[in-house]
Amino acid sequence: MNKLPFIIEFCEKSGIKHIESPSLREMTSFRTGGTASISLHPDSEEKLQKCVLFLNENKIKTFVLGKGTNVLALDEGFDGAVLSMSDYCGIRLIEEDVIECAAGTSLIQVCRFARDNSFEGLEFAFGIPGSVGGAVYMNAGAYGGEIKDVFLKSTHILPDGRNGAFTRNEAKLSYRHSAYYDTAMVISKVYFKLKKGDPEQINQKMEELMQRRRDKQPLEYPSAGSTFKRPEGYFAGALIEKSALKGFGIGGAYVSQKHAGFIINKDNASSADILSLVDYCQKKVLTDSGVLLEPEIRVLR
């Protein structure tokens, strides 16, 4: 990457942590992939704003990465800058019923904060391993709940460095989608509006849902969660199972025996193995059921 010295100079002058040739395997939950040219790790909104402006002004290929739990990094790596949100964290109560979260904050931490402050509404999200920003970006959901149910507003940084904000309607949260999807806007803060509840009941529900995850999902293997979006009128896992693909593998990548909706890195899979298995499942299900499965995972490219 010919602009690498320029990026390093910017980071050093701005006091922004950076890592040359970071391992994408270590930054993503599939535990596959090569290296990126560089990763930037701002730890404040001001530094995040500087990064966004700098990277866009200089036309540097960039991928914004939260916890990397819904992302597949390619084996050949990424010839560009990864803007990591991992160090930009923080949660606080700003009103009687509103929580403010920095975009890099773990969604699990936010759920615990809500419980500890006797707020209900986020129980469904306990166990979703992503960041708050990522959860809004794709309107994460589970067990009958979605981020849009508790979302109040968000702030973001535009490519030119200006601040922006979306209300609940403006964010256009729908199934695994938002107004942020495939744009250059970078989410900076998220605000959740919650209701007071009984902390013991909240905790009980959280633990019940976590146990359901342990019982039904292959948490013992690296994955990116549900591999495919839910087709209208169907369940992806059921369609894959109907095609007798449970336990089927390519290279080190396998369709989970525990839940067919998950492709797992069972035996030192490459990203190419995973992509080949995704493609195979799509073609087999389309042939058998006439339904084209749409991947939920994002490819870092």
Side-chain angles (χ1 to χ4, degrees):
M1 186 184 189
N2 56 10
K3 292 184 178 180
L4 190 58
F6 183 45
I7 300 171
I8 293 171
E9 181 183 10
F10 159 76
C11 290
E12 290 175 346
K13 284 183 177 179
S14 304
I16 294 167
K17 174 184 168 184
H18 58 285
I19 300 172
E20 293 181 58
S21 301
S23 169
L24 296 172
R25 177 183 296 264
E26 299 301 318
M27 299 173 75
T28 53
S29 61
F30 254 131
R31 296 290 180 256
T32 63
T35 61
S37 300
I38 191 169
S39 59
L40 283 64
H41 302 257
D43 58 8
S44 68
E45 187 168 10
E46 180 185 3
K47 289 180 181 178
L48 177 61
Q49 194 168 14
K50 286 182 179 179
C51 287
V52 171
L53 178 59
F54 172 82
L55 293 167
N56 279 284
E57 274 189 337
N58 293 284
K59 296 181 172 57
I60 295 165
K61 188 178 180 181
T62 303
F63 192 96
V64 180
L65 190 68
K67 299 296 181 188
T69 55
N70 198 45
V71 173
L72 177 66
L74 297 178
D75 298 316
E76 58 266 33
F78 179 65
D79 185 24
V82 170
L83 180 55
S84 171
M85 306 296 282
S86 59
D87 291 349
Y88 179 43
C89 307
I91 318 167
R92 65 185 182 123
L93 184 63
I94 61 167
E95 293 178 24
E96 196 172 289
D97 57 355
V98 177
I99 295 175
E100 176 193 81
C101 315
T105 310
S106 160
L107 192 54
I108 292 174
Q109 287 181 311
V110 178
C111 292
R112 288 179 175 142
F113 181 91
R115 175 200 60 195
D116 294 346
N117 286 274
S118 303
F119 288 118
E120 64 180 23
L122 273 167
E123 295 90 333
F124 76 90
F126 189 58
I128 296 177
S131 67
V132 171
V136 170
Y137 183 90
M138 62 173 292
N139 185 33
Y143 302 114
E146 293 179 296
I147 288 297
K148 71 176 182 180
D149 300 334
V150 291
F151 179 88
L152 177 64
K153 64 178 180 178
S154 58
T155 59
H156 53 262
I157 300 168
L158 296 162
D160 61 6
R162 289 182 298 123
N163 291 311
F166 282 154
T167 62
R168 189 174 186 275
N169 288 337
E170 290 168 338
K172 297 180 181 177
L173 300 176
S174 59
Y175 179 68
R176 303 300 177 263
H177 200 269
S178 74
Y180 291 111
Y181 213 87
D182 288 337
T183 74
M185 295 181 283
V186 178
I187 299 169
S188 51
K189 288 181 180 175
V190 176
Y191 298 80
F192 294 122
K193 188 175 178 65
L194 304 169
K195 296 178 182 178
K196 278 291 185 180
D198 182 290
E200 289 188 9
Q201 291 183 2
I202 293 167
N203 188 65
Q204 182 180 355
K205 187 173 182 182
M206 286 167 62
E207 291 303 325
E208 285 175 357
L209 293 180
M210 180 60 83
Q211 190 58 51
R212 285 176 65 180
R213 288 180 182 278
R214 295 189 188 103
D215 292 342
K216 296 183 178 181
Q217 298 179 10
L219 303 181
E220 64 272 28
Y221 293 106
S223 77
S226 297
T227 307
F228 299 100
K229 295 180 181 179
R230 185 179 67 242
E232 189 172 349
Y234 300 91
F235 290 99
L239 290 171
I240 293 167
E241 188 169 353
K242 182 181 175 183
S243 287
L245 291 173
K246 235 183 182 184
F248 178 79
I250 294 178
Y254 286 79
V255 175
S256 169
Q257 287 276 18
K258 202 171 189 180
H259 190 314
F262 285 65
I263 286 178
I264 57 174
N265 179 355
K266 187 177 179 180
D267 187 19
N268 196 30
S270 66
S271 296
D273 292 340
I274 294 167
L275 287 172
S276 293
L277 187 52
V278 167
D279 183 63
Y280 187 88
C281 289
Q282 285 179 299
K283 289 177 178 175
K284 187 75 166 65
V285 169
L286 183 60
T287 298
D288 294 348
S289 301
V291 179
L292 179 60
L293 296 177
E294 182 183 353
E296 186 170 307
I297 54 177
R298 299 176 65 220
V299 178
L300 199 168
R301 53 162 57 107

